[in-house]
């Protein structure tokens, strides 16, 4: 984790620096089909994070040597805009974003029925417009919504969520200050229905008990985030159907 | 209240009492089937299908599709049929007396054909043919497209929807199973037909659509 400091991240009432309780998520808003040219797209606002996701494909994979004769490959590209953070980020892929692209690709490959598309590739572009801690899980959450809206067959929706340790306490969904000055950060990607873990990384240290507590918090939050995903997907169709229901 | 079709998400359990799961479902446990798409549940006879709201076209043998020639080889055309994989049209599968090397004079890049999927294999390579009744090169006209899963709605029961649009706009329309639609007529009428098709696409998941489209067509024609 970042530098040690004497900032108090949890006050005497047990509330966090942004006034949340330890088990509270930041506000999440998802919108689908925001881009016309993309096969599927989503925009997510998760606390201060603003992330745009576009899905293209499946289409034949190029260069040809990347094709897999048995299944599709998912190429996720996580990219942070130069203006997404306080100090200008040098544009282009760096070690961090290459790593995040890889883990997100692998997480999504576990949900998408890749075996239905031999030789194909599915492109997922994750553009972080504004970053505020937890961009990889917010990007993953939005990416699975964009894939579903592109009509790609999936076993389940993927939900991303993080927990961590701040001032010796386990809390859900770290904010920016908690991420920088906290003691541990545990982002996870979970299949909503089956509860299988498809992404897990950890920064900092947690004891076995703390890890279990953090996992429990995440699994509980996954249900809430999944509900937001479902509403985002269905919302438009339900309202149109109600309006035009007919006989 | 209006009846709406049930909307499901990937991973949602399908109600086993509705019938036997067929398309768009996968086995997710002992005697349990889940949806693999974001779409609507459609019950027909004893089967249950999940029809996705959008998505690419997957070729099936016997489908009649509209394709765009994208490349000409010495003896084959490579045709884009709005699917993840392009398809091949061999010169022997056309009604013309072609000779290897000069097939460009029959079909060039950018031309559209109405063809039938002749065969396809495990790795999704496919071949189309022009040798059947009604199959041809599409000359003139306009091309518009809808997502392939919505094609049955565009055609309607026994062709009712597309025939209604044809009659009302006095156009010739060919609907490919892959979602490409060829419309020929006077420019004004073609524009009206395209608008009607787009309306069907947008409201494909609602009920009572045929009547609404009929009114919409009257409105567009200023009646």
């Amino acid at each position: 984790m970042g530098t040690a400091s004497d900032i108090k991240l949890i006050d005497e009432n047990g509330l966090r620096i942004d006034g949340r309780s330890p088990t509270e998520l930041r506000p999440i808003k998802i919108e689908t089909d925001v881009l016309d040219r993309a096969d599927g797209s989503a925009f997510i606002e998760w606390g201060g994070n603003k992330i745009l996701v576009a899905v293209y494909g499946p289409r034949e994979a190029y260069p040809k040597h990347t094709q897999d004769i048995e299944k599709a490959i998912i190429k996720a590209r996580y990219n942070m805009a130069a203006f997404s953070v306080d100090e200008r980020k040098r544009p282009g892929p760096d070690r961090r974003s290459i790593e995040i692209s890889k883990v997100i690709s692998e997480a999504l490959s576990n949900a998408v029925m890749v075996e239905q598309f031999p030789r194909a590739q599915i492109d997922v572009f994750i553009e972080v417009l504004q970053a505020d801690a937890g961009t990889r899980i917010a990007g993953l959450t939005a990416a699975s919504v964009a894939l579903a809206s592109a009509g790609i067959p999936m076993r389940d929706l993927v939900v991303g969520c993080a927990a961590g340790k701040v001032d010796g306490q386990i809390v859900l969904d770290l904010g920016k200050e908690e991420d920088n000055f906290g003691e541990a950060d545990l982002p996870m990607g979970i299949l909503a229905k089956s509860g299988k873990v498809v992404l897990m990384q950890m920064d900092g240290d947690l004891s076995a008990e703390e890890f279990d507590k953090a996992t429990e918090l995440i699994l509980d939050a996954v249900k809430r985030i999944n509900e937001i995903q479902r509403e985002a997907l269905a919302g438009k169709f339900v309202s149109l159907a109600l309006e035009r229901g007919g006989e | 209240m209006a009846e709406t079709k049930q909307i499901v998400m990937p991973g949602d359990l399908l109600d086993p009492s509705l019938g036997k799961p067929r398309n768009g479902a996968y086995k997710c446990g002992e005697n349990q089937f889940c949806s693999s798409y974001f779409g609507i549940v459609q019950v027909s006879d004893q089967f249950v299908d999940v029809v996705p709201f959008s998505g690419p076209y997957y070729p099936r043998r016997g489908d009649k599709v509209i394709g765009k020639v994208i490349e000409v080889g010495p003896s084959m055309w490579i045709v884009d049929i709005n699917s993840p994989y392009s398809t091949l049209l061999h010169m022997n599968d056309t009604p013309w007396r072609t000779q290897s090397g000069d097939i460009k004079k029959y079909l060039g890049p950018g031309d559209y054909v109405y063809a039938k999927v002749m065969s396809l294999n495990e790795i999704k390579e496919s071949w189309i043919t022009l040798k059947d009744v009604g199959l041809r090169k599409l000359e003139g006209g306009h091309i518009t497209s809808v997502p392939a899963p919505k094609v049955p709605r565009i055609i309607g029961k026994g062709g009712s929807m597309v025939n209604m649009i044809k009659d009302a706009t006095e156009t010739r329309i060919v609907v490919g199973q892959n979602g490409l639609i060829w419309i020929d007529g006077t420019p004004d009428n073609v524009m009206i037909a395209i608008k009607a098709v787009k309306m069907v696409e947008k409201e494909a998941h609602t009920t009572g659509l045929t009547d609404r489209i009929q009114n919409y067509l009257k409105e567009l024609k200023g009646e």
Side-chain angles (χ1 to χ4, degrees), chain A residues 37-74:
Chain A
R37 306 279 177 273
D39 295 317
S41 58
F43 179 65
I44 187 167
E45 287 179 43
W46 183 321
N49 291 312
K50 291 195 168 129
I51 303 173
L52 190 59
V53 180
V55 169
Y56 296 83
R59 54 190 178 191
E60 251 169 287
Y62 284 106
K64 212 158 184 177
H65 69 86
T66 63
Q67 290 186 355
D68 186 328
I69 199 90
E70 294 193 334
K71 59 181 199 297
I73 45 172
I74 296 192

Side-chain angles (χ1 to χ4, degrees), chain A residues 124-147:
Chain A
V124 181
F125 295 98
I126 301 167
E127 297 289 332
V128 180
L129 306 178
Q130 186 173 295
D132 187 40
T135 50
R136 75 190 68 192
I137 47 140
L140 180 63
T141 306
S144 86
V145 171
L147 281 168

Side-chain angles (χ1 to χ4, degrees), chain B residues 71-138:
Chain B
E71 217 174 295
V72 186
S75 61
M76 300 246 217
W77 290 274
I78 298 174
V79 182
D80 176 13
I81 51 167
N82 202 21
S83 138
Y85 312 94
S86 49
T87 184
L88 297 166
L89 173 63
H90 192 262
M91 61 178 197
N92 289 350
D93 298 320
T94 63
W96 310 303
R97 277 169 176 274
T98 49
Q99 231 164 24
S100 182
D102 70 339
I103 64 170
K104 211 173 181 166
K105 66 182 182 203
Y106 297 97
L107 283 173
D111 285 342
Y112 283 93
V113 287
Y114 183 48
K116 191 172 81 175
V117 179
M118 186 172 61
S119 64
L120 80 166
N121 63 15
E122 300 84 350
I123 56 167
K124 312 261 172 169
E125 287 172 327
S126 60
W127 289 266
I128 54 174
T129 175
L130 283 179
K131 274 189 175 170
D132 205 347
V133 189
L135 304 180
R136 62 201 161 93
K137 177 183 176 185
L138 295 170

Side-chain angles (χ1 to χ4, degrees), chain A residues 78 93-103:
Chain A
Y78 168 98
D94 51 19
R95 201 169 72 170
R96 176 175 172 276
S97 64
I98 292 169
E99 172 199 313
I100 296 177
S101 304
K102 176 182 180 288
V103 293

